[in-house]
Amino acid sequence: MVPKRSVISSFAKKEFFHIIRDPRSLVILFLMPILQLIMFGYALKMEIQQVNLAVIDFNRSLSSHHLIDQFRGSHYFRPFYFDGSIEQIETLFKARQAHAVMVIPHDFNRQLQRHRSTPVQFIVDASDANAATTIRNYIAQTIRIFNQSHNRIEALPFEVRSTIFFNPDKKSTYFFVPGIIALLLVMISAMLTSITITREKETGTLEQILVSPIKSYQIILGKVLPYIFLAFAIGVIILLIGIFLFGVPFRGSIILLLVLSTLYILTALSLGLMISTIARTQQVAMMIALISTLLPTFMLSGFIFPIASMPEILQYFTYLVPAKYYLFIARGIILKGSNLMHLLQPTIFLLIMSLVLLVISIRKFEITLED
Amino acid sequence: MNETAVKTENLTRKFGDFTAVDRVSIEVNRGEIFGFLGANGAGKTTMIRMLCGLLVPTGGMGHVAGFDIRTESEKIKQNIGYMSQKFSLYNDLTISENIDFYGGIYGLSPAEVKEKKIRILKELNLIRWANSMTADLPPGFKQGLALGTAMLHDPPIVFLDEPTSGVDPASRREFWEVIHQSAAKGITIFVTTHFMDEAEYCNRISIMSAGSIIALDTPRNLKKHHQRDSIQQVFIDLMKEETQSPENRAG
Ligand SMILES: Nc1ncnc2c1ncn2[C@@H]1O[C@H](COP(=O)(O)OP(=O)(O)OP(=O)(O)O)[C@@H](O)[C@H]1O
Ligand SMILES: [Mg+2]
């Protein structure tokens, strides 16, 4: 008997040849996520950094100037005077000339001195709800600083709400970069393997393989191994670009991040393989892989919407989303410097998911050859 | 191994209401070249796929190399070679890589694979092409290579599903030479074809129509029985009878 490893490695070698013989796909595989990451990352960065603040100043006093300067000084806002009326604000928003409007009442200076407290009206363009929340928090933050420096005795009655988007130093980008990485990794990995078996169904080579004494698990492992390396290479590039290009402060161990990213990649590859054993055509497989990774990762992983604020039913679904665990891991390692002990639970979940998916793939595969 | 390589009794496969193979009983002897003839859709491929363990029969029994096709397909796999109707070498692999791969999944050692590879490439005059892409090979060579690959692990029984379709006559002759040499070594060949002249090279042929076997004998006996000079004419006669009285064919 020849050791089984040689069967698996023959298979893996063949898969490796398929990969390198298709340089066009390979280039797309590497370039696409990089471009998406850069585009996505910068889109989020811009949204956070440059809030055009239209100022309608009815007071025109030294105090109102101080307030405006306070906004100018925080580098999130670009205040500009707007001479129109309050009714014209909507046009400002529609033309995307302003993200928010500050209306300083004509008695601002007087009220401030007399009562030490006065309302200032802010109108925020909420067409992008997330951006609006962020802007509102920035405003609150800026006002708070203004109060502290100009009115130490009594704070303005201003409610400062701190949500996950609250961000003293553009943490939002840091917060989103792991999310984008999680999304890109799961999508690419799942799509990679989703077509590998269906392609062999279409070309008929699968039949030739199935009459050989090779075991289902050898096929599945032979399929998954070369793709781990490929997806890992893509993963490293995305992680490095994500971290360095966006200046995400890296607090943890990069080795740990790479190891756990590989585990996450394995989960996604296994999902792709499972899809591949079910789907009959490559197109169907790709579609299933795309939908089953894109939507849940976007909506249910905590990437955009915090899991704690989801309806309870949806919260249960999030346990099935690998990106949820990976986000916990990636944010933990990158932003908080977590070590493996802190991340044991999500790591175990990912491990179990990979194993379950692989076992289902092997089982499904055994059934495929019977029907 | 016993003298009977393939044996079926009332082997049946239905797809829903449609019966693709209808109660087929055959016996193929060791070292025999057994031809399967039939029009498109007669059920030849379905028959072979059941014998190879790729498809579960819905009725009847079958044994290949003495093993039950329902319960012992793992053992059957060790004993058969299969060349499917679709070309199933990888076009994006070189000739050499294809041989390595199939050798590998049959558990052959690298040394064995190397030796077999040289033999196959020599037989096909492809030594200098070993590192060319399989896609670039002419059809005749492709089929020859597929046959060599299907027999890499020296199986005692080989199933060939229309191995010569799309192949030029000269290559077909060479192909059949290989088949005869293999049979002479005691290898059982189960082959389907559309070419009536190829049927003449078989020890016995069975003619299939709409899932059933309507004739089974040596080419000589068939011609004698139908008083014809060629299998081609015998086949045409049989097909005419079929269309005239399809309900009579069961007996
Ligand atoms: N998986 C399947 N599901 C449904 N019908 C099938 C299936 N496989 C084969 N058939 C049908 O069974 C019949 C026999 O098909 P089969 O491929 O065995 O014919 P064949 O004799 O090999 O024909 P050909 O010479 O075209 O290869 C055909 O009518 C085919 O449509
Ligand atoms: Mg056929």
Side-chain angles (χ1 to χ4, degrees):
Chain A
M1 255 322 259
V2 183
K4 296 206 166 49
R5 186 176 43 84
S6 85
V7 174
I8 295 176
S9 71
S10 302
F11 210 100
K13 209 163 153 187
K14 178 215 91 165
E15 289 299 318
F16 173 74
F17 288 136
H18 290 322
I19 295 170
I20 57 165
R21 295 284 154 71
D22 190 2
R24 213 177 37 151
S25 305
L26 213 52
V27 168
I28 295 174
L29 271 177
F30 277 89
L31 278 186
M32 271 253 297
I34 293 174
L35 290 179
Q36 281 171 329
L37 175 66
I38 292 173
M39 271 161 39
F40 220 157
Y42 273 116
L44 289 167
K45 207 172 177 177
M46 298 227 290
E47 182 181 281
I48 304 306
Q49 276 194 322
Q50 308 173 321
V51 179
N52 291 332
L53 180 69
V55 180
I56 302 176
D57 186 357
F58 291 119
N59 188 233
R60 302 255 173 189
S61 65
L62 199 61
S63 303
S64 71
H65 274 274
H66 278 311
L67 180 60
I68 294 161
D69 279 343
Q70 186 69 53
F71 276 94
R72 187 170 290 123
S74 81
H75 43 99
Y76 312 119
F77 292 99
R78 284 208 304 224
F80 62 93
Y81 283 108
F82 180 62
D83 291 329
S85 65
I86 297 180
E87 286 73 40
Q88 286 171 291
I89 286 170
E90 215 180 306
T91 10
L92 268 183
F93 284 161
K94 277 195 182 140
R96 294 241 152 233
Q97 282 164 351
H99 302 106
V101 178
M102 173 165 71
V103 186
I104 304 174
H106 61 89
D107 56 353
F108 177 73
N109 191 27
R110 195 156 43 95
Q111 293 287 338
L112 206 59
Q113 280 166 7
R114 191 184 295 170
H115 303 292
R116 303 182 173 248
S117 144
T118 179
V120 173
Q121 187 187 13
F122 287 94
I123 302 156
V124 179
D125 177 6
S127 55
D128 178 344
N130 284 327
T133 317
T134 315
I135 293 169
R136 212 174 60 197
N137 289 320
Y138 283 176
I139 290 171
Q141 168 87 341
T142 311
I143 290 286
R144 199 159 52 85
I145 297 168
F146 177 80
N147 283 341
Q148 278 166 2
S149 52
H150 294 263
N151 194 358
R152 284 167 199 280
I153 304 139
E154 192 185 330
L156 279 175
F158 209 108
E159 188 195 358
V160 178
R161 271 231 310 247
S162 175
T163 73
I164 56 143
F165 295 102
F166 182 65
N167 236 329
D169 40 31
K170 66 180 171 47
K171 196 176 95 192
S172 194
T173 313
Y174 308 161
F175 202 73
F176 281 123
V177 166
I180 303 167
I181 292 171
L183 179 65
L184 292 175
L185 281 185
V186 76
M187 252 169 53
I188 289 174
S189 307
M191 300 221 324
L192 271 181
T193 43
S194 71
I195 56 166
T196 58
I197 293 175
T198 35
R199 184 176 53 208
E200 298 214 32
K201 283 184 198 168
E202 282 181 15
T203 56
T205 47
L206 189 63
E207 224 177 63
Q208 200 66 53
I209 293 170
L210 291 180
V211 292
S212 79
I214 192 169
K215 301 276 189 297
S216 299
Y217 81 89
Q218 293 170 324
I219 298 175
I220 296 290
L221 291 184
K223 286 263 177 203
V224 89
L225 277 175
Y227 286 101
I228 288 184
F229 289 103
L230 179 63
F232 178 76
I234 297 173
V236 169
I237 292 174
I238 300 180
L239 277 170
L240 292 182
I241 292 181
I243 291 164
F244 290 111
L245 191 66
F246 297 108
V248 179
F250 199 94
R251 304 214 167 84
S253 150
I254 190 126
I255 308 263
L256 181 64
L257 182 64
L258 289 181
V259 169
L260 295 184
S261 298
T262 309
L263 178 60
Y264 176 58
I265 285 167
L266 176 67
T267 316
L269 291 173
S270 313
L271 174 70
L273 271 178
M274 195 194 73
I275 294 167
S276 207
T277 58
I278 303 166
R280 280 185 190 274
T281 66
Q282 293 186 61
Q283 271 177 330
V284 171
M286 289 265 267
M287 283 306 292
I288 299 176
L290 191 66
I291 292 168
S292 64
T293 54
L294 183 67
L295 282 180
T297 305
F298 216 76
M299 313 293 286
L300 298 176
S301 70
F303 171 18
I304 304 278
F305 309 108
I307 292 174
S309 61
M310 287 175 194
E312 207 179 318
I313 300 238
L314 280 187
Q315 289 195 25
Y316 288 118
F317 278 108
T318 64
Y319 286 98
L320 295 173
V321 182
K324 167 188 169 144
Y325 307 109
Y326 183 67
L327 265 184
F328 193 88
I329 290 170
R331 282 175 179 160
I333 295 175
I334 296 173
L335 302 176
K336 287 194 275 182
S338 310
N339 61 32
L340 186 58
M341 289 318 285
H342 300 131
L343 304 171
L344 223 45
Q345 199 197 357
T347 303
I348 289 170
F349 266 101
L350 281 183
L351 211 58
I352 292 173
M353 272 190 144
S354 306
L355 286 178
V356 168
L357 286 168
L358 282 176
V359 169
I360 295 177
S361 307
I362 293 168
R363 283 282 137 76
K364 271 273 164 205
F365 203 84
E366 278 162 0
I367 297 165
T368 316
L369 56 140
E370 296 268 300
D371 75 5
Chain B
M1 194 166 130
N2 55 21
E3 286 304 300
T4 308
V6 177
K7 184 172 162 53
T8 70
E9 272 169 61
N10 292 321
L11 195 63
T12 302
R13 173 70 207 205
K14 291 186 177 181
F15 295 109
D17 292 339
F18 177 75
T19 308
V21 171
D22 193 6
R23 286 164 292 161
V24 169
S25 305
I26 51 166
E27 247 188 273
V28 181
N29 301 318
R30 190 172 154 246
E32 189 174 22
I33 302 175
F34 189 84
F36 239 60
L37 269 64
N40 285 325
K44 306 181 294 292
T45 299
T46 308
M47 184 72 192
I48 287 193
R49 296 187 73 220
M50 283 193 282
L51 294 175
C52 292
L54 289 167
L55 203 61
V56 183
T58 51
M61 293 204 316
H63 284 83
V64 171
F67 299 112
D68 191 326
I69 58 171
R70 287 174 187 275
T71 56
E72 296 172 302
S73 63
E74 291 308 311
K75 285 185 185 136
I76 292 176
K77 284 174 182 177
Q78 307 275 0
N79 286 288
I80 59 166
Y82 170 59
M83 191 175 152
S84 84
Q85 193 168 351
K86 258 186 176 174
F87 180 66
S88 24
L89 297 178
Y90 296 93
N91 275 318
D92 58 341
L93 261 57
T94 66
I95 294 163
S96 170
E97 287 161 356
N98 262 307
I99 297 175
D100 288 344
F101 169 67
Y102 280 109
I105 64 171
Y106 275 98
L108 269 54
S109 74
E112 278 176 295
V113 175
K114 194 175 170 194
E115 181 206 313
K116 295 268 167 63
K117 190 196 294 180
I118 292 173
R119 206 189 61 202
I120 293 171
L121 294 179
K122 265 192 186 145
E123 266 173 23
L124 292 167
N125 265 326
L126 279 177
I127 289 280
R128 288 198 295 157
W129 293 68
N131 294 318
S132 312
M133 281 299 148
T134 307
D136 300 336
L137 277 181
F141 286 98
K142 276 190 177 178
Q143 294 303 96
L145 184 63
L147 176 66
T149 314
M151 296 177 68
L152 262 185
H153 54 296
D154 293 323
I157 305 170
V158 183
F159 294 91
L160 309 173
D161 198 358
E162 293 189 30
T164 51
S165 63
V167 172
D168 62 282
S171 304
R172 270 171 53 202
R173 261 193 306 280
E174 281 171 30
F175 196 97
W176 273 91
E177 217 142 274
V178 177
I179 290 179
H180 272 279
Q181 284 165 11
S182 305
K185 282 186 252 167
I187 297 174
T188 311
I189 312 276
F190 194 109
V191 56
T192 75
T193 181
H194 274 154
F195 297 107
M196 296 303 152
D197 58 325
E198 290 184 351
E200 313 265 1
Y201 304 142
C202 299
N203 299 127
R204 279 191 306 155
I205 53 176
S206 71
I207 296 175
M208 239 185 145
S209 171
S212 308
I213 291 190
I214 52 172
L216 197 170
D217 213 330
T218 62
R220 231 176 89 200
N221 286 351
L222 280 175
K223 283 185 281 191
K224 206 161 86 186
H225 181 79
H226 286 80
Q227 294 169 328
R228 292 293 196 179
D229 314 324
S230 73
I231 291 296
Q232 171 100 43
Q233 287 162 322
V234 173
F235 189 77
I236 293 168
D237 287 352
L238 280 165
M239 287 301 137
K240 270 191 196 142
E241 283 172 34
E242 271 301 291
T243 44
Q244 277 153 15
S245 54
E247 64 279 3
N248 288 351
R249 79 168 116 69

